């Protein structure tokens, strides 16, 4: 029984972290948008459930799994984009989806948040479905986040 309790404490206190050797935000060249396409940069700071990766799906396609303090980006056409986050069943967090508007020829920043404590399960940009101000996002990304390449 003691072994079981110790194992549970270790598993519940572990955090999903960036891969070893992952580049910092300032070391990654985010592509400049052109020809009506935009670049969506999305990131996750430390957010519960901290010991699980947040699986991000964009427009129905699995895009990346984000541990804490990581970011990724994708090139998208302008218009409505569906963002979904999915979790391990063990996490206690609900999968959630929201749609956001992507303007043409822009870099758009989006913080992905979650909570096992709220019924919504995910908040995009602090509860908003709008992208964050560029200056806040870039400052946050430089301070916290490592790059995880997307599958797209």
């Amino acid at each position: 029984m003691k072994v079981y309790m110790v194992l549970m404490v270790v598993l519940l206190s572990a955090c999903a972290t960036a891969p070893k050797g992952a580049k910092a935000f300032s070391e990654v060249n985010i592509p400049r948008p052109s020809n009506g396409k935009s670049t969506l940069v999305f990131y996750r700071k430390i957010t519960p459930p901290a010991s699980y990766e947040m699986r991000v799906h964009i427009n129905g396609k699995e895009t990346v799994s984000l541990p804490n303090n990581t970011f990724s980006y994708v090139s998208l056409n302008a218009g409505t984009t569906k963002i979904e986050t999915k979790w391990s069943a063990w996490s206690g967090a609900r999968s959630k989806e929201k749609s956001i508007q992507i303007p043409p020829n822009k870099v758009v920043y989006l913080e992905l948040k979650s909570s096992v404590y709220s019924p919504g399960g995910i908040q995009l940009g602090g509860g908003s479905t709008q992208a964050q101000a560029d200056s806040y996002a870039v400052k946050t990304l430089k301070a916290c986040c490592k790059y995880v390449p997307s599958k797209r």
Side-chain angles (χ1 to χ4, degrees), residues 30-133:
I30 304 296
R32 293 224 178 267
S34 61
N35 300 325
K37 289 199 163 229
S38 292
T39 302
L40 175 64
V41 179
F42 50 97
Y43 61 99
R44 174 190 181 193
K45 297 189 297 186
I46 294 177
T47 182
S51 58
Y52 294 92
E53 291 188 352
M54 176 189 285
R55 296 187 313 269
V56 180
H57 294 239
I58 297 177
N59 293 328
K61 294 184 180 178
E62 185 174 354
T63 303
V64 69
S65 289
L66 291 180
N68 291 304
N69 293 326
T70 58
F71 78 97
S72 194
Y73 65 85
V74 293
S75 178
L76 296 169
N77 291 320
T80 302
T81 296
K82 184 172 76 169
I83 309 283
E84 296 174 273
T85 58
K86 298 185 178 188
W87 299 91
S88 163
W90 296 101
S91 71
R94 295 180 176 144
S95 296
K96 189 67 177 177
E97 69 178 56
K98 288 198 179 187
S99 293
I100 61 170
Q101 287 297 316
I102 303 293
N105 301 313
K106 289 198 72 161
V107 176
V108 178
Y109 297 93
L110 186 65
E111 180 179 353
L112 300 174
K113 296 182 178 183
S114 68
S115 176
V116 294
Y117 310 111
S118 70
I122 182 174
Q123 300 169 339
L124 303 178
S128 166
T129 58
Q130 300 303 311
Q132 291 182 314

Side-chain angles (χ1 to χ4, degrees), residues 6-45:
V6 169
L7 181 61
M8 288 303 294
V9 168
V10 169
L11 289 175
L12 293 175
S13 63
C15 287
T17 58
K20 191 171 188 161
K23 292 181 179 182
F25 177 73
S26 58
E27 299 172 311
V28 176
N29 292 320
I30 304 296
R32 293 224 178 267
S34 61
N35 300 325
K37 289 199 163 229
S38 292
T39 302
L40 175 64
V41 179
F42 50 97
Y43 61 99
R44 174 190 181 193
K45 297 189 297 186

